[in-house]
Amino acid sequence: MATDLEHELAELLDVESFAPEAAFRDRALIADDRVHREAAEDPAGWWLKQAKALSWFREPTVALDDADPPFYKWFTDGTLNASVNCLDRHVEAGRGDRVAFHWRGEEGEVRDVTYADLLADVQRCANALKAHGIGKGDVVGIFLPMIPEVVVAMLACARIGAIHNVVFGGFSAESVRERMEFSAAKALITVDGARRKGRTAAIKAQVDAVGMPVRTTFVVRHTGIECPMGDGDVWWHEALAAADPVCPPEELEAEHPLYILYSSGSTAKPKGILHTTGGYLTQVAWTHRHVFDLKPDEDVYWCSADVGWVTGHSYIVYGPLANGCTSVMFEGAPDYPDKDVWWKLCAELGVTIFYTAPTAIRACMKWGEQYPARHDLSSLRLLGTVGEPINPKAWLWYHKVIGGGRCPIVDTWWQTETGAIMITTLPGAQAAKPGSAGTPLPGIAARVVDDAGEEVPRDTQGYLTLTRPWPSMLRTLYKDDERYVATYWEKYGPRTYFVGDAARQDADGYFWVIGRVDDVLNVSGHRMSTAEIESAIVSHPKVAEAAVIGQSDETTGQSVTAFVTLEGNLEGDEALEAEIREHVAQRIGKLARPKRIIWSDDLPKTRSGKIMRRLLRDIAEGRELGDVTTLRDPDVMSRLEARVKELQAEDGA
Ligand code: PRX
């Protein structure tokens, strides 16, 4: 990967590390290494202490239960409710009038939603769910754009102990149906239409076209687009208006499931990552407060992710609300109506903390400094990134152009599975090195190991592992314990979590994450599986076989390249390419569409028939090919190489 190369460069050139400036450090919540040291003495006990920052019905006395690894449990004798922690306790403390979300619509609409507003809507929504037969332990699907109702829906589930299963709005209706089926969801909460850059997508009609295996579909009226309503369909606003305004929260065990979030793995079937309540909320709230050095009474925080990904779950909804802070929620894209819309909002709302993805930073870099320069960004005091390695060039641009050279940057490494941030720098206490996420947070342990599980020497690349259970870890894959064990705990045993990333640790103990070691792609920080895209392509009637690889891409980190073999004597052309891309959009979502399709009469396979993706990656990126003699048909490589060169010449022309 290009980013890998740049990592090396950064190290070679010894790009400076950036220590926090005195102005930041002097006011920081954590300004030295005492917390790291304290946690190291008794990590589980230290987390139990942090758990006390939450509001419990029954406070836990037990930290970690590791009697049955890798099925770890946390705070088992505690009971709580996530919605109480996110809403009631702030309202009860007299902060009901505080804005929870400055919501801004694509066309400039303004909605400021307070904690009291959210609590009122959440109770009504919870009662509406109950009135439709949904209760503790039931799964509720949520397929909504970035509107406040998505938060209401999630917290309403949490209030009654239902398990939410949010599907990112960029996925196709077909993907939603599959996720509803896998999780046996009883209801779906969706929307009439969703807006994107001036256009409206008829979401409810799309959902109807594939048919959902749920009893009830709640529909939020958002765009006002014509919306078919059939049996089992209920308008959200009518259901809430009819519902009782008071809904006492369920007292739930710490290990009660909070949500399922489907994420791509190395097979075509997405994994239903299961998070529970007490441990998740403890680590999400702690990290949100301390990694972002949050002062809830002063800060205006903005995480630009979509709520449909784990970043949105943990750092738009649960973390910020548990900490009672004011956030920005933006419906639209960063380049609509113009490429300065983010910076315009930062200036208007006085944003102090901004958290985004490297791919977005690279896009802004490409658009040019003139866009941020239109606005006064002096309110910003801390910046963050997540989702993929950030190349030092983009880091330095972010630091200088957006952060005015004064804001620390936290590069936060974590995964859907980890639930919360794991490796980063505490901005008042640790220096940042552009391109490195930093060190494990207090209470977290990581190690880079070789194939046999032995720790590798410093500055040596190996597999990243997590060597101690942490509170916000996934508990299993929904209804699939076997796959949970096989995916994460088989390689190194039930006490060493296999991350799936390559990394190295430098002499200062900083981790440099390089990228995935499995067939998982990272396109614009969106996680996708090669197998899932391949199976979508192969389901096209004209396709015989397909192999998908992630190709390095300057803006999006990786992009999807598909090598496709057609049925019989069919010839590939532009029309068919468009057809296949559309087919993938239908099956998975637009985000999975291959950027380029390379027709190929055969694919490089071993004699046992396994596709050699490594060779395809070498070809696509113009690298010297290694040994091809183990291939069933070594000639296939030279034909493919010629074809790729042809394409590259066309691209360059
Ligand atoms: O490869 C790592 C990369 O994203 C993967 C997790 O993807 P997902 O579950 O979709 O969660 C993304 C948001 C938390 C990781 O295995 N990744 C995430 N953050 C970083 C990163 N790689 C390098 N640096 C990061 N800060």
Side-chain angles (χ1 to χ4, degrees):
M1 284 171 67
T3 48
D4 186 14
L5 199 83
E6 286 184 84
H7 277 152
E8 309 234 4
L9 269 177
E11 277 189 307
L12 283 175
L13 299 172
D14 196 20
V15 167
E16 331 134 63
S17 61
F18 289 74
E21 294 188 5
F24 186 92
R25 201 186 49 232
D26 290 350
R27 294 205 62 222
L29 295 178
I30 297 176
D32 55 39
D33 67 350
R34 265 178 301 186
V35 182
H36 276 104
R37 278 190 286 132
E38 190 198 331
E41 278 166 25
D42 172 16
W46 182 83
W47 278 119
L48 182 62
K49 245 163 75 185
Q50 310 318 314
K52 313 240 152 125
L54 296 179
S55 161
W56 298 82
F57 292 112
R58 195 173 64 225
E59 239 187 41
T61 61
V62 182
L64 168 67
D65 171 353
D66 61 355
D68 181 24
F71 297 95
Y72 297 100
K73 298 189 181 104
W74 285 84
F75 314 135
T76 42
D77 61 344
T79 60
L80 78 169
N81 185 289
S83 77
V84 170
N85 277 281
C86 290
L87 303 174
D88 304 57
R89 63 169 171 162
H90 307 308
V91 174
E92 280 159 20
R95 293 189 293 272
D97 290 339
R98 176 173 293 176
V99 172
F101 292 103
H102 291 295
W103 180 82
R104 294 298 179 266
E106 253 202 6
E107 304 298 336
E109 301 89 334
V110 170
R111 248 172 97 186
D112 288 335
V113 185
T114 66
Y115 277 87
D117 295 336
L118 280 180
L119 179 57
D121 281 354
V122 163
Q123 296 195 70
R124 284 186 182 272
C125 180
N127 281 328
L129 291 173
K130 278 195 198 164
H132 284 87
I134 291 148
K136 192 169 160 181
D138 290 336
V139 175
V140 176
I142 299 177
F143 185 49
L144 287 172
M146 288 283 283
I147 51 178
E149 284 79 0
V150 76
V151 181
V152 174
M154 289 163 80
L155 293 180
C157 291
R159 197 159 190 91
I160 61 174
I163 307 166
H164 58 72
N165 174 6
V166 178
V167 182
F168 168 57
F171 279 114
S172 65
E174 185 61 43
S175 287
V176 179
R177 191 193 53 71
E178 190 182 68
R179 284 156 167 79
M180 294 307 110
E181 203 174 278
F182 293 161
S183 65
K186 276 202 173 159
L188 176 67
I189 304 178
T190 188
V191 70
D192 55 352
R195 300 188 302 190
R196 199 68 179 163
K197 300 198 201 185
R199 288 195 313 254
T200 301
I203 302 296
K204 175 61 165 52
Q206 289 170 12
V207 160
D208 283 357
V210 301
M212 291 294 152
V214 296
R215 233 171 26 204
T216 313
T217 302
F218 295 88
V219 186
V220 176
R221 185 143 70 200
H222 174 49
T223 62
I225 191 178
E226 194 173 319
C227 179
M229 295 293 278
D231 282 349
D233 292 345
V234 181
W235 281 112
W236 162 281
H237 58 274
E238 289 176 5
L240 263 66
D244 196 286
V246 179
C247 177
E250 283 282 331
E251 179 173 343
L252 302 169
E253 313 248 312
E255 282 296 344
H256 186 75
L258 180 61
Y259 68 79
I260 308 167
L261 187 55
Y262 280 89
S263 180
S264 296
S266 47
T267 70
K269 193 178 175 199
K271 300 183 288 194
I273 288 162
L274 182 77
H275 283 292
T276 59
T277 309
Y280 174 78
L281 213 56
T282 296
Q283 192 174 333
V284 161
W286 191 91
T287 50
H288 183 254
R289 179 168 297 232
H290 296 93
V291 172
F292 297 107
D293 186 52
L294 182 81
K295 322 273 189 328
D297 297 340
E298 301 167 20
D299 280 312
V300 178
Y301 162 86
W302 183 2
C303 166
S304 78
D306 191 282
V307 75
W309 301 105
V310 76
T311 307
H313 282 56
S314 299
Y315 298 106
I316 293 177
V317 181
Y318 288 107
L321 294 178
N323 286 323
C325 79
T326 295
S327 301
V328 176
M329 184 190 244
F330 179 49
E331 179 188 28
D335 57 348
Y336 181 86
D338 201 354
K339 298 186 177 74
D340 68 337
V341 59
W342 277 6
W343 318 122
K344 180 168 170 276
L345 288 176
C346 278
E348 271 171 22
L349 294 165
V351 172
T352 56
I353 303 169
F354 186 69
Y355 189 30
T356 194
T359 183
I361 299 165
R362 288 193 297 266
C364 292
M365 228 167 108
K366 230 173 162 174
W367 296 335
E369 288 184 25
Q370 66 274 26
Y371 294 103
R374 285 184 194 162
H375 304 282
D376 174 7
L377 298 180
S378 61
S379 58
L380 288 170
R381 64 178 195 89
L382 179 71
L383 303 173
T385 72
V386 57
E388 53 177 318
I390 181 163
N391 46 312
K393 200 166 134 199
W395 195 103
L396 294 167
W397 187 90
Y398 194 32
H399 187 254
K400 177 174 145 246
V401 178
I402 305 303
R406 77 187 171 275
C407 304
I409 298 180
V410 287
D411 175 352
T412 61
W413 178 88
W414 57 295
Q415 308 179 294
T416 309
E417 289 87 343
T418 70
I421 300 169
M422 303 291 283
I423 299 178
T424 188
T425 47
L426 290 175
Q430 292 175 282
K433 298 189 191 191
S436 161
T439 65
L441 281 170
I444 304 298
R447 204 177 282 168
V448 180
V449 303
D450 63 15
D451 215 36
E454 289 298 320
E455 189 162 13
V456 297
R458 293 289 164 100
D459 283 324
T460 310
Q461 184 172 322
Y463 297 104
L464 182 61
T465 60
L466 299 166
T467 51
R468 192 185 288 142
W470 63 100
S472 65
M473 65 197 297
L474 79 165
R475 297 306 195 258
T476 189
L477 297 176
Y478 193 60
K479 301 224 159 110
D480 201 348
D481 287 349
E482 230 172 88
R483 191 174 175 197
Y484 168 67
V485 175
T487 309
Y488 307 107
W489 307 97
E490 213 147 65
K491 191 165 170 68
Y492 297 123
R495 294 191 183 271
T496 303
Y497 172 87
F498 176 70
V499 164
D501 282 358
R504 77 173 150 268
Q505 205 179 358
D506 70 16
D508 300 327
Y510 277 52
F511 285 76
W512 298 73
V513 174
I514 289 150
R516 301 289 306 184
V517 296
D518 52 10
D519 292 324
V520 170
L521 304 184
N522 191 330
V523 180
S524 296
H526 297 158
R527 181 163 155 183
M528 273 173 292
S529 116
T530 51
E532 206 176 340
I533 304 174
E534 282 165 5
S535 109
I537 297 176
V538 171
S539 72
H540 188 285
K542 291 183 184 156
V543 173
E545 206 169 30
V548 163
I549 58 157
Q551 197 171 340
S552 299
D553 186 284
E554 230 176 72
T555 307
T556 57
Q558 283 186 302
S559 63
V560 178
T561 296
F563 292 81
V564 174
T565 308
L566 295 171
E567 286 286 1
N569 297 324
L570 289 172
E571 291 274 335
D573 57 18
E574 264 176 39
L576 187 52
E577 184 167 341
E579 216 179 280
I580 291 174
R581 283 164 48 82
E582 179 50 30
H583 186 71
V584 173
Q586 290 287 334
R587 294 295 298 253
I588 306 177
K590 283 189 181 154
L591 70 170
R593 282 179 308 193
K595 184 168 176 191
R596 37 170 32 201
I597 290 180
I598 297 172
W599 309 115
S600 139
D601 57 2
D602 199 0
L603 294 168
K605 287 188 201 122
T606 59
R607 290 198 182 91
S608 61
K610 196 171 170 276
I611 295 175
M612 299 283 287
R613 283 200 191 73
R614 181 178 51 77
L615 290 176
L616 292 173
R617 278 194 291 265
D618 287 346
I619 283 199
E621 297 186 354
R623 274 190 294 269
E624 193 74 13
L625 294 181
D627 182 11
V628 295
T629 52
T630 54
L631 291 181
R632 201 171 52 193
D633 171 13
D635 288 346
V636 75
M637 290 308 288
S638 41
R639 294 199 298 274
L640 268 177
E641 226 176 344
R643 177 84 193 106
V644 169
K645 288 215 170 101
E646 232 172 79
L647 279 173
Q648 277 161 351
E650 280 169 27
D651 280 358

